[in-house]
Amino acid sequence: MRSLSQIICSIFLGLPLWLSGTLALRATAVSSSTAVEVAEAETQLDSGIRLYQTEQFNRAIELWQPACKRLADLGENNSQALCWSYLSLAYQQLGEWSAATDAIDRSLKLLQSKAEAIVLAQALNTQGRLLLARGQPEVALETWKEAEAFYQEAGDVAGRLGSQINQAGALQSLGFYRRSRQVLEKVRFQLQAQPNSQLKAAALTSLGSTLQLVGELQNARDILEQSLAIATDMGSATSAILLALGNIAYDLQQPEVALDYFQRAQKTAANLEEKLDAQLARLSLYREFEKGLPGKEMQKMVAEIHSSLPYLPPSRLSVHAAVNFAEHLLKMDARELSYRQLGRVLSEATAIAKSLGDRPAEAYALLQWGKLYEQNGQVAEAIRLTEESLAIAQSIQATDIISQSAWQLGRIFKNMGKEKAAIAAYSEAVNALQSLRGDLVAINPDLQFSFRESVEPVYREMVAMLLDKNPSQENLRQARELIEALQLAELDNFFRDACLDAAPMTLDNIDPTAAVIYPIILSDRLAVILSAPGQPLHYSFTPLSPDQLQEIQEELLSSLSPDAAIGEDLPFAQQLHDWLIGVAAKEGVLKDVKTLVFVLDGALRELPMAVLHDGERYLIENYNIVISQGLQLVDPHQLDKEELSAIAAGLTEARQGFSAIPAVEGEINQIASNIPVSVLLNDEFTRGALFNQVQKNSASVVHLATHGQFSSKLEDTFLLAWEGRIGVKDLDELLSRRETARSGPIELLVLSACETAVGDDRALLGLAGLALRSGARSTLATLWVVRDRSTAILMAEFYKHLQSPGVMKAEALRRAQLALLANPNYQEPFFWAPFILVGNWL
């Protein structure tokens, strides 16, 4: 019986599920004089498939190449076409794109007439994979649609479902997330109608893994649990499913749950490969969550993995297992194995990759081997191995490995004091990361990038180098561009796709009275770049560790509590004011500035900039204040006030475990007294009703007075409607279609009762992501829940000023906050400070 993982591989790649039956069918279709030779050639295809499924790609090629020639000599076009299709798949795995293209072209040429539907479907499936890998998702999508039709004609259920899952991936690459979800839901519906079988369990596992990749973690878990139940009932292997469920728990920050799944996956492993997968997953879990094992138990586990590696058959899987094992131990700074022993592990992995002719695996092994030498201070060897890894990666256009190898070289050169070489290497790493963008979450899971470990540090380390000593204007410009690129990369990582279009923008083209402030948290300083119209970039810094900054940030947040003493916030607010804008203010850089736009970093994102204090006045008393993810994401469009109107939806009653918000009705009535409003209140406020209002109504403002939360986790960022939660991607579906409608996009999205997740320094990503994904040009929201009465007063003031001629959105918010500040009942920052405007401030 074939394993579940082999069936999953067949679903995605279009390989035949029942080889013997397929081959026997073809053998009977030829004359008896050639039947034996055809059968022998197709046996080579069969053997090659088994090698492919164990990731021995070069050895599969060695079997398939003569098989293709033999079938050509026999005039067997269909079998020959299938053979060339398989060769293309193997060449793709090895990064040999020219050979892959030539092979699939040969396959399709042979199938131009009198092709078997199943063979043509498999060839088209292979072509779709190649097209997507080469950056042509539109053509890949159409190709997979053709493949689906031929799989349907051939009666191949697995192939048809696999093509649909592939189409969903292409749609995600194109940014059509709603359509992608519809396709995946269609696959799920079809699977529910199928009787329980090993095929159904495998298809559900594939679907669950796909949903996990795009951040649909709850749906993915539900589907995988169903797959597990089916496989368990049928007595099938379950280790692969348990491992997938453990990975979802890992992503959901549930280490205890993940550990249980990984332990069960190890116990139920059907072979050494599955056992090692589970053990390596446990090792990763211990490292990430610092759930250390007792010394002897850790030694036992490491020794068991180490002793098992030589028994894996030579394949890409065995290379990646060895490399990941060494990487985990290096990152844990574990002493269970010496540097010499780890060096031997990586040397053997590199040798296996070379013997297989697997260039991507070789580059990956060399990269980690170079890192081992770097960590051990053997600089010359580290450079040699890393440069070799980079050269291979460049030759096969393996952009993911290029980014990491170039970064590694940059670190080494930086530590050697070779600044020019280091900057060049860092630049190559950044360029590679930017070209990857949405592929960062779709690459080989063995190479899966951790944003915090493998992406963010590349940007920050390069910025630190550019800002060393006395940076030139050119260095400041590059550093600013890198920080904006990092903000965009963080949003890509948040959404698990490259969904946002960025266009370079100059401040003079947006607002000549605004200045943009970029605080940058580096390992040894808080750096600040300030951009004001008509002036050179201004730079200042404070020697400060991230921990010291975090301490001040926490003190200020604590002092903003309603239980804190009056004025308790001032020392901390003044300290941050001095660090962020004190130098620029003293030097007169801000003298003609009316609006401050903050592109915040790290722990600073949790703070309302309005509370910064110069010793006499709060910052909001002097300037309009805006939060941005970068000017490249700002749409410089002014609000049209001639026909200002709103759609207002809210909940006054308790729902879904959230408390009632009685003042919401009064808040909406106050808005209606200023501008025309279409209202959805309580049970009228459903997802469907909001969608319908947005589609048929040309209102430029959408005001949602309901509970919600912003988090750095996609699944924990939501708004509350009457019947349940609205996630970020749901809001995308609800609102963003207005952007292509005649009425245009939403100008302003107001979220008046939401809050950021406590202790989450990246929670503003949830707010920024929700704002950008909704298609709204601006979003007004709160960092924490404020008493509903003061919120109602502020919102009434905001809308009153918003409709005034010549008053920008940022100015309207400032006036509303000042109104609360002047009110004896609400003058404490707790009431007026958390309201922030994100995005366009005009």
Side-chain angles (χ1 to χ4, degrees):
M1 180 180 289
R2 303 182 67 210
S3 73
L4 186 66
S5 59
Q6 287 176 316
I7 293 180
I8 293 169
C9 176
S10 299
I11 290 172
F12 274 115
L13 301 182
L15 300 174
L17 286 172
W18 300 282
L19 291 168
S20 58
T22 304
L23 298 178
L25 178 63
R26 292 204 192 96
T28 60
V30 299
S31 64
S32 57
S33 61
T34 59
V36 173
E37 292 181 86
V38 172
E40 288 176 352
E42 293 191 330
T43 298
Q44 286 181 290
L45 293 186
D46 185 355
S47 299
I49 287 169
R50 283 192 284 272
L51 288 168
Y52 184 101
Q53 289 170 332
T54 56
E55 300 191 348
Q56 299 178 68
F57 305 116
N58 213 45
R59 291 180 182 173
I61 289 171
E62 289 171 359
L63 284 178
W64 286 338
Q65 283 177 331
C68 287
K69 185 178 184 305
R70 195 171 187 179
L71 290 166
D73 293 340
L74 293 169
E76 280 295 303
N77 284 0
N78 278 300
S79 295
Q80 186 193 166
L82 191 63
C83 183
W84 283 112
S85 174
Y86 293 169
L87 274 171
S88 180
L89 283 172
Y91 286 132
Q92 289 176 46
Q93 291 286 355
L94 295 174
E96 298 181 21
W97 303 111
S98 178
T101 302
D102 179 66
I104 195 59
D105 286 347
R106 286 177 180 238
S107 176
L108 291 169
K109 187 174 181 180
L110 288 165
L111 297 172
Q112 287 179 348
S113 61
K114 298 182 179 179
E116 292 183 24
I118 185 65
V119 179
L120 184 54
Q122 289 168 8
L124 289 167
N125 185 64
T126 299
Q127 186 184 42
R129 283 174 51 82
L130 178 61
L131 288 165
L132 189 65
R134 305 306 289 157
Q136 300 180 60
E138 300 97 333
V139 190
L141 177 62
E142 295 307 315
T143 302
W144 276 322
K145 286 180 180 177
E146 287 186 68
E148 180 189 355
F150 284 109
Y151 277 125
Q152 177 75 28
E153 182 181 332
D156 188 328
V157 175
R160 178 168 53 80
L161 293 174
S163 291
Q164 290 174 354
I165 292 174
N166 286 336
Q167 288 172 49
L171 287 166
Q172 289 156 13
S173 294
L174 289 166
F176 299 133
Y177 307 104
R178 183 182 57 82
R179 287 174 58 192
S180 174
R181 181 185 291 182
Q182 288 174 344
V183 170
L184 292 174
E185 284 301 316
K186 178 182 175 184
V187 171
R188 185 177 187 178
F189 179 78
Q190 292 174 84
L191 285 171
Q192 303 303 345
Q194 296 288 323
N196 287 352
S197 65
Q198 194 175 22
L199 171 61
K200 181 175 179 178
L204 285 168
T205 303
S206 297
L207 177 58
S209 299
T210 302
L211 289 169
Q212 180 193 4
L213 280 177
V214 299
E216 299 276 353
L217 299 182
Q218 299 294 346
N219 284 339
R221 183 166 62 184
D222 292 344
I223 288 169
L224 287 170
E225 285 175 347
Q226 183 183 355
S227 173
L228 179 64
I230 293 171
T232 302
D233 288 346
M234 299 194 67
S236 301
T238 58
S239 182
I241 307 172
L242 289 165
L243 190 65
L245 282 164
N247 286 329
I248 289 176
Y250 187 114
D251 286 347
L252 289 170
Q253 305 289 297
Q254 299 172 346
E256 299 295 345
V257 177
L259 179 60
D260 179 64
Y261 278 125
F262 292 152
Q263 288 173 332
R264 289 165 62 190
Q266 183 177 335
K267 288 178 182 177
T268 58
N271 51 51
L272 181 58
E273 290 91 336
E274 288 186 347
K275 181 180 179 181
L276 273 174
D277 277 345
Q279 288 177 315
L280 288 170
R282 287 178 62 194
L283 201 59
S284 176
L285 186 75
Y286 295 139
R287 177 177 65 82
E288 177 71 19
F289 294 97
E290 298 181 351
K291 290 195 167 295
L293 284 167
K296 287 186 179 179
E297 194 173 340
M298 175 63 84
Q299 289 175 7
K300 179 181 176 182
M301 182 178 176
V302 169
E304 189 173 346
I305 296 173
H306 185 220
S307 62
S308 298
L309 290 172
Y311 294 97
L312 287 173
S315 67
R316 176 176 290 180
L317 185 150
S318 67
V319 173
H320 284 177
V323 173
N324 291 344
F325 174 58
E327 182 179 22
H328 289 320
L329 291 182
L330 283 175
K331 287 180 178 177
M332 294 169 69
D333 196 25
R335 297 300 179 210
E336 282 74 21
L337 290 183
S338 67
Y339 279 117
R340 178 171 294 182
Q341 288 173 304
L342 285 177
R344 194 174 299 120
V345 167
L346 292 167
S347 172
E348 290 168 358
T350 304
I352 291 171
K354 283 183 177 178
S355 71
L356 294 170
D358 192 333
R359 302 286 278 169
E362 183 183 355
Y364 183 42
L366 286 165
L367 168 66
Q368 194 61 44
W369 198 3
K371 187 180 294 184
L372 172 68
Y373 279 119
E374 177 197 7
Q375 197 161 316
N376 199 34
Q378 296 171 267
V379 177
E381 280 299 297
I383 292 174
R384 181 183 68 80
L385 292 168
T386 307
E387 286 181 336
E388 193 175 342
S389 170
L390 180 58
I392 293 172
Q394 289 168 333
S395 71
I396 58 175
Q397 301 173 51
T399 317
D400 50 345
I401 302 177
I402 289 172
S403 70
Q404 300 302 288
S405 296
W407 174 34
Q408 190 158 289
L409 273 180
R411 290 198 310 269
I412 296 170
F413 289 141
K414 177 184 176 183
N415 292 333
M416 294 174 68
K418 296 184 176 181
E419 183 178 332
K420 189 173 181 180
I423 290 289
Y426 272 107
S427 296
E428 183 168 10
V430 167
N431 290 338
L433 287 173
Q434 290 178 341
S435 70
L436 277 171
R437 286 202 67 193
D439 294 330
L440 285 175
V441 294
I443 57 179
N444 189 315
D446 290 326
L447 305 175
Q448 194 71 275
F449 281 30
S450 160
F451 184 84
R452 283 185 183 261
E453 291 182 359
S454 303
V455 178
E456 183 178 6
V458 181
Y459 288 90
R460 291 198 185 279
E461 289 170 18
M462 185 172 178
V463 168
M465 288 200 69
L466 290 168
L467 297 181
D468 274 344
K469 301 172 185 175
N470 185 24
S472 65
Q473 283 294 304
E474 176 59 22
N475 280 9
L476 290 175
R477 183 189 61 78
Q478 286 187 48
R480 180 185 64 179
E481 290 176 357
L482 281 169
I483 287 301
E484 292 224 348
L486 176 58
Q487 297 273 343
L488 186 60
E490 284 187 288
L491 286 167
D492 289 343
N493 181 67
F494 173 76
F495 285 120
R496 298 190 179 217
D497 53 56
C499 58
L500 301 169
D501 295 324
M505 197 75 63
T506 62
L507 191 58
D508 292 317
N509 293 335
I510 299 176
D511 182 358
T513 65
V516 186
I517 300 170
Y518 300 85
I520 307 165
I521 302 172
L522 301 174
S523 60
D524 60 348
R525 73 201 110 144
L526 173 62
V528 181
I529 298 174
L530 191 149
S531 173
Q535 298 188 54
L537 293 172
H538 182 274
Y539 175 65
S540 63
F541 73 93
T542 304
L544 195 69
S545 72
D547 288 342
Q548 289 173 304
L549 178 62
Q550 180 82 28
E551 183 179 347
I552 292 293
Q553 180 258 7
E554 290 175 356
E555 292 281 8
L556 179 54
L557 270 182
S558 176
S559 70
L560 296 176
S561 162
D563 298 326
I566 294 175
E568 187 177 329
D569 59 300
L570 294 180
F572 311 112
Q574 290 171 20
Q575 181 70 81
L576 278 169
H577 179 279
D578 290 345
W579 288 343
L580 296 182
I581 63 173
V583 176
K586 287 177 183 177
E587 294 179 2
V589 177
L590 302 176
K591 68 175 182 177
D592 296 321
V593 170
K594 295 180 180 178
T595 301
L596 296 180
V597 182
F598 287 90
V599 182
L600 295 175
D601 190 17
L604 294 172
R605 293 173 174 140
E606 293 184 74
L607 293 174
M609 292 296 103
V611 301
L612 299 188
H613 202 278
D614 64 5
E616 296 180 2
R617 294 155 68 89
Y618 285 110
L619 198 63
I620 193 65
E621 296 181 80
N622 296 323
Y623 303 99
N624 306 321
I625 296 174
V626 183
I627 304 300
S628 175
Q629 292 298 112
L631 292 188
Q632 58 187 342
L633 295 174
V634 173
D635 182 352
H637 184 276
Q638 291 193 349
L639 181 65
D640 183 1
K641 301 189 178 186
E642 289 187 6
E643 297 183 2
L644 190 63
S645 62
I647 298 165
L651 300 177
T652 64
E653 300 178 18
R655 297 294 296 173
Q656 308 288 320
F658 289 86
S659 61
I661 318 177
V664 161
E665 187 169 5
E667 177 181 325
I668 291 176
N669 289 337
Q670 287 277 9
I671 298 169
S673 68
N674 286 294
I675 60 174
V677 177
S678 300
V679 178
L680 299 171
L681 193 62
N682 291 327
D683 60 354
E684 298 173 337
F685 175 25
T686 65
R687 190 177 310 180
L690 179 61
F691 176 82
N692 290 334
Q693 276 289 343
V694 169
Q695 296 309 303
K696 72 180 184 181
N697 195 319
S698 62
S700 55
V701 178
V702 173
H703 183 109
L704 304 178
T706 180
H707 287 289
Q709 177 176 273
F710 311 122
S711 168
S712 60
K713 299 177 189 176
L714 187 67
E715 62 275 8
D716 290 340
T717 296
F718 64 90
L719 301 173
L720 192 67
W722 180 260
E723 81 278 33
R725 297 182 177 189
I726 302 175
V728 175
K729 292 189 176 181
D730 296 317
L731 198 70
D732 177 16
E733 294 176 28
L734 289 172
L735 303 183
S736 63
R737 274 201 260 174
R738 269 280 297 273
E739 196 161 356
T740 56
R742 285 162 61 179
S743 52
I746 302 298
E747 291 288 345
L748 176 63
L749 174 65
V750 180
L751 309 170
S752 69
C754 299
E755 62 182 321
T756 53
V758 176
D760 186 348
D761 68 358
R762 297 183 182 226
L764 198 64
L765 284 176
L767 170 54
L770 188 149
L772 292 164
R773 232 3 217 280
S774 71
R777 289 191 167 116
S778 313
T779 299
L780 171 57
T782 56
L783 291 175
W784 58 76
V785 174
V786 185
R787 292 173 187 171
D788 49 3
R789 179 58 190 153
S790 60
T791 298
I793 294 172
L794 182 136
M795 288 298 165
E797 287 288 327
F798 171 72
Y799 282 104
K800 180 180 76 175
H801 294 297
L802 185 65
Q803 62 181 337
S804 300
V807 177
M808 300 186 301
K809 286 174 274 191
E811 174 68 14
L813 176 58
R814 175 173 174 264
R815 292 184 183 184
Q817 288 175 295
L818 292 178
L820 279 188
L821 179 58
N823 186 324
N825 294 321
Y826 303 116
Q827 63 184 2
E828 292 305 308
F830 171 80
F831 297 102
W832 52 262
F835 296 91
I836 59 172
L837 185 68
V838 180
N840 180 315
W841 62 90
L842 301 178

